[in-house]
């Protein structure tokens, strides 16, 4: 089967489409967060990480398109003599090889940036649940994988480092990236499989409307495509090493990973959009399951951080970590029914 490298035009079109969708989803994430947090200063740590990751994702798309216009130091041995006869081509290949270095660094940072965002989100999601130790273990594994890959890339697989753009290089690993790709695939795919498995039981047991369960499950199921794209990018990298077809799958893998990390935070945005069509308020606090205790278990109220009081009378803020719990927190929160208009004016309901 003959496989040809994608043209710069093909990569530009595909990259632009995926990037545009990603930008829209990022905007929805920020709207969802700011509708709750009210200020960019109050965003969660993973929100800032997501913004940096999205910037690197933008750089990745640009670098992929640019790299498609240049050859690199990867070429059949029989072409070496002709290449060395043309200094201009040597310089072009050196430049193209440097672009690939930046591209690979951005790719690693994007993939592990999205994993970091999900680890933070799952940590809150699993608060006081039996899955939390596993989330901590996965976070450690993700960190170890990133450090190991970066150390090996910069100091092990190709030495000295400038050989990555040498024409010709002193080792085929400086051009083919074979060992690097094997290690990256092992850490990347295994971490994705673990991250994919964590939220499913939490969502299924969670106290939330069925439509939100289905939305979350659909979002996390995109992780399957991330894994498929990761496998295919390595398949084409190994099987057709003299082409750049793998870069198409780089775009798809990185884009889908970014989508998943953003869409997990989209529920307030979905509510706001649906309220336009249903003509109902997009956020409202519903009374507890137990009218006798008044324990606040409403997902809607928790996403709004509505002020309440603890059982000892101290003013307290409800937090999003209650969003998927089956059990009330150690210190029960007691609040009265609370409407959107009251929250907007900053008034607290009666106990």
């Amino acid at each position: 089967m003959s496989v040809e490298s994608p043209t710069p035009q093909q990569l530009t079109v595909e990259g632009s489409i995926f990037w545009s969708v990603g930008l829209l989803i990022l905007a929805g994430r920020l709207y969802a967060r700011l509708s709750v947090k009210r200020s960019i200063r109050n965003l969660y740590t993973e929100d800032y990480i997501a913004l940096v990751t999205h910037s690197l994702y933008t750089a990745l798309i640009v670098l992929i398109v640019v790299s498609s216009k240049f050859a690199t130091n990867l070429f059949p041995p029989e072409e070496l003599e002709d290449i060395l006869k043309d200094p201009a081509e040597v310089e072009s290949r050196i430049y193209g090889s440097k672009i690939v270095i930046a591209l690979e660094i951005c790719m690693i940072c994007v993939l592990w940036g999205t994993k970091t965002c999900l680890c933070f989100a799952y940590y809150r999601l699993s608060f006081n649940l039996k899955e939390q130790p596993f989330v901590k273990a996965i976070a450690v594994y993700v960190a170890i994988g990133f450090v190991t890959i970066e150390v090996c890339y910069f100091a092990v697989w190709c030495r000295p480092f400038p050989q990555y753009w040498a024409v010709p290089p002193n080792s085929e690993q400086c051009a083919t990236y074979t060992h690097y790709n094997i290690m990256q695939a092992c850490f990347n795919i295994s971490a994705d499989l673990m991250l994919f498995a964590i939220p499913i039981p939490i969502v299924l047991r969670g106290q939330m409307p069925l439509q939100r369960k289905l939305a979350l499950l659909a979002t996390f199921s995109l992780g399957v495509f991330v894994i498929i794209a990761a496998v295919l990018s390595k398949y084409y990298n190994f099987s057709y090493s003299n082409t750049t077809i793998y870069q198409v799958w780089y775009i798809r893998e990185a884009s889908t990973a970014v989508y998943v990390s953003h869409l997990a935070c989209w529920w307030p945005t979905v509510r706001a959009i649906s309220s336009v069509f249903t003509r109902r308020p997009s956020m409202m606090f519903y009374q507890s399951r137990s009218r006798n205790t008044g324990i606040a278990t409403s997902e809607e109220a928790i996403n709004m951080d509505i002020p309440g009081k603890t059982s000892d009378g101290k003013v307290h803020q409800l937090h999003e970590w209650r969003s998927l719990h089956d059990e009330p927190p150690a210190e029960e929160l007691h609040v009265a029914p609370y409407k959107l208009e009251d929250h907007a004016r900053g008034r607290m309901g009666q106990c």
Side-chain angles (χ1 to χ4, degrees):
M1 181 177 65
S2 177
V3 176
E4 297 182 356
S5 297
T7 65
Q9 290 76 18
Q10 290 173 324
L11 289 172
T12 300
V13 171
E14 182 156 349
S16 299
I17 293 173
F18 275 101
W19 181 86
S20 299
V21 174
L23 184 63
L24 177 63
I25 297 175
L26 174 64
R29 176 197 181 114
L30 293 177
Y31 171 83
R33 281 290 195 248
L34 292 175
S35 68
V36 174
K37 297 300 182 181
R38 306 301 180 189
S39 171
I40 194 170
R41 297 179 181 178
N42 297 328
L43 296 179
Y44 289 125
T45 301
E46 66 265 30
D47 295 321
Y48 298 112
I49 296 175
L51 289 172
V52 174
T53 299
H54 204 91
S55 300
L56 292 169
Y57 166 65
T58 302
L60 172 67
I61 299 297
V62 173
L63 288 169
I64 287 176
V65 173
V66 172
S67 71
S68 66
K69 301 176 182 179
F70 296 90
T72 66
N73 59 357
L74 178 62
F75 49 83
E78 59 270 18
E79 296 182 6
L80 176 59
E81 185 176 353
D82 292 335
I83 291 173
L84 294 178
K85 290 179 181 179
D86 187 350
E89 183 173 356
V90 172
E91 289 299 319
S92 175
R93 288 179 178 272
I94 290 174
Y95 182 77
S97 300
K98 291 180 178 178
I99 294 295
V100 170
I101 294 172
L103 183 158
E104 291 293 343
I105 293 173
C106 285
M107 183 66 177
I108 288 293
C109 291
V110 168
L111 293 180
W112 262 258
T114 57
K115 289 174 175 56
T116 302
C117 290
L118 290 176
C119 284
F120 273 102
Y122 292 170
Y123 181 80
R124 285 199 312 279
L125 195 69
S126 62
F127 186 85
N128 266 355
L129 298 180
K130 62 183 180 180
E131 286 85 2
Q132 191 167 70
F134 296 102
V135 174
K136 293 179 181 179
I138 293 173
V140 172
Y141 181 77
V142 168
I144 291 174
F146 179 78
V147 172
T148 303
I149 291 171
E150 291 296 276
V151 169
C152 289
Y153 181 71
F154 284 97
V156 177
W157 300 134
C158 179
R159 300 176 62 187
F161 188 77
Q163 285 296 311
Y164 273 119
W165 60 82
V167 180
N170 61 9
S171 170
E172 66 175 6
Q173 294 302 321
C174 301
T176 63
Y177 288 44
T178 302
H179 293 166
Y180 160 81
N181 282 316
I182 292 173
M183 174 178 283
Q184 193 250 46
C186 290
F187 277 110
N188 183 33
I189 295 173
S190 59
D192 283 345
L193 286 170
M194 289 185 281
L195 287 170
F196 174 71
I198 283 291
I200 305 301
I202 300 177
V203 172
L204 292 177
R205 294 200 314 269
Q207 298 177 25
M208 65 180 72
L210 177 62
Q211 64 268 29
R212 185 173 189 193
K213 283 189 178 183
L214 295 177
L216 285 173
L217 290 173
T219 298
F220 293 131
S221 68
L222 290 175
V224 175
F225 184 83
V226 177
I227 295 170
I228 293 173
V231 171
L232 288 175
S233 70
K234 298 311 175 192
Y235 167 76
Y236 284 109
N237 198 307
F238 294 141
S239 302
Y240 305 96
S241 58
N242 289 322
T243 71
T244 58
I245 187 67
Y246 74 93
Q247 292 183 354
V248 173
W249 289 100
Y250 264 24
I251 293 175
R252 295 168 184 174
E253 179 186 3
S255 299
T256 312
V258 168
Y259 297 171
V260 172
S261 67
H262 291 336
L263 284 171
C265 309
W266 250 56
W267 187 246
T269 304
V270 173
R271 283 203 307 265
I273 294 173
S274 64
S275 68
V276 174
F277 299 98
T278 60
R279 296 183 180 180
R280 292 182 297 180
S282 62
M283 290 189 285
M284 180 171 289
F285 177 54
Y286 297 96
Q287 199 170 12
S288 167
R289 295 174 302 173
S290 172
R291 295 184 179 179
N292 295 327
T293 62
I295 298 173
T297 58
S298 167
E299 174 67 17
E300 315 299 326
I302 290 164
N303 271 331
M304 291 173 64
D305 279 353
I306 294 174
K309 286 186 178 181
T310 60
S311 54
D312 61 359
K314 295 180 180 178
V315 176
H316 184 66
Q317 287 285 335
L318 296 178
H319 293 288
E320 284 184 324
W321 54 258
R322 280 291 320 282
S323 58
L324 297 182
H325 281 196
D326 291 326
E327 300 296 332
E331 190 173 55
E332 295 179 349
L333 303 179
H334 297 272
V335 295
Y338 202 83
K339 294 183 179 180
L340 177 63
E341 293 79 10
D342 292 333
H343 178 61
R345 288 191 289 268
R347 295 204 301 262
M348 185 173 66
Q350 296 294 322
C351 294

